[in-house]
Each structure stands twice: as structure tokens, then as C-alpha cells.
Amino acid sequence: MTTVDDLIERLESEAAADADPSTTPDVGIIMGSDSDLPVMEGAYEALEDLGFAEQTDFGDAPDARFTYESYVVSAHRTPELMYAYGETATARGLDVIVAGAGGKSADLPNMTASIAYPVPVIGVPVQEKSVGSVIGMPTGAPIVAVDAGKSYNAALSAAQVLAREHDEVEERLLDLHDGQKAGVADVSADLHDLGIDGFRDR
């Protein structure tokens, strides 16, 4: 059975490895509980739509140039793991973190933002009641946050951060955006051309 100490040792070992940044995960996805996964799956979907691959072995990167990793990190049940994740983020090559948490005390995103600073953290309130907790950071301790449940948007924002340094990611974002615009145009034309009844029956 894997212990919290095992995970902390893993993160610290990876941080000390001095790995090539092109082989380390670019985006970290963390969540307070695996019960948050149904909401956080949107972040995985967005990154996969952009051609990112999931990296499950720090020492054996997939062929894709841009990758992401994910962990369950509870701010309240495993605070030492949260600290280790945030403190090793830069050394492990992470450029941006997407952090989701639920409940009224959704502290994982903002605590991680404080610990991992200056690595940008994009917070995802998993529930509506989590919004105030996620965005409630004092001046000088920034966090970017999306609306409740919008983990897809959070991952797009993470990609936007990477796009400032990587033209390939910018091109992928623009292609995805163009595809979304085309989808709206198709729906609009169908609604107009078929009328409401034909549109419903299509």
C-alpha cells in the first residue's frame, strides 16, 4: 500500500533528478478527493483536445512534447503532501497547476498557490459553495480561478500560460477555438434553414 510518505519521497526524488524540462509534465492537475474527479475530468478532456498526453511515469515521458500529470492531494487530510507538491513544482518542471476542491473549505487551490508561488495556479471550485473559498486570496497572494465546475476552462487557461513560450501550443489553442466557432456556425445555419421543428427532428 502506498503511503503519504511514499508519495512525498517520490516528489522529492523527482525534484532532485534535474530532468530535461522537455520530458517533465508541463501541467499538474490536483484535486482534494477522487470524488472531485467527475468535475475535474473536463481538465483532462481539454488537454487531450489540445494534444497533451498524460504522463504517469516521471522518468519515462510519453512521445508527446506536452504532457500533464495528476494527483489527489487533500489540504486537510494530507497537508504535508500538499506542501511537498507545491514546494517541488518548479524543480519538477511544472509550468502551471490546475487545482480543484469542493466543500465550503476548498483550500487546496489557494494554499497550493501560496506554496508553489510563483508557479501559476488555476483554481476550480468543484461546487458552487466552494467559489468563495477558492477565490478568497489576500492581496499579494494571487490565484486565477474559474467558475464552479469549469475545469475544462481551467485547463484551457493553463494552456494559454504555456502558449506564451510555445508557439505550438498557441496554434493548437487557435485551432480548437476555430473548431468551436465553426460548430456554432453549423448549429446557427441548421436552426435558421430547418426551422425549429426541423432542427428538433434532425
Side-chain angles (χ1 to χ4, degrees), residues 39-40 98-101 109 122-132 134-135 144-155 157:
V39 169
M40 294 303 292
V98 174
I122 301 164
V124 181
V126 170
Q127 301 160 326
E128 200 68 47
K129 63 184 174 182
S130 312
V131 173
V134 171
I135 66 173
V144 175
V146 296
D147 198 5
K150 298 290 196 291
S151 66
Y152 190 97
N153 282 353
S157 292

Side-chain angles (χ1 to χ4, degrees), residues 3 5 37-38 67 72-73 78 84 86 91 115 141 146 155 164 166 170 176-177:
T3 67
D5 287 340
L37 188 56
T67 62
V72 171
V73 180
T78 60
I115 298 163
V146 296
R164 306 320 301 152
H166 301 284
E170 182 176 12
L176 181 63
H177 188 63

Side-chain angles (χ1 to χ4, degrees), residues 2 30 61 122 129 156 170 191 199 201:
T2 304
I30 57 174
I122 301 164
K129 63 184 174 182
L156 291 182
E170 182 176 12
L191 178 58
F199 184 82
D201 293 338

Side-chain angles (χ1 to χ4, degrees), residues 100-123:
K104 288 186 178 178
S105 298
D107 295 322
L108 179 64
N110 44 26
M111 289 298 296
T112 302
S114 293
I115 298 163
Y117 186 86
V119 175
V121 173
I122 301 164

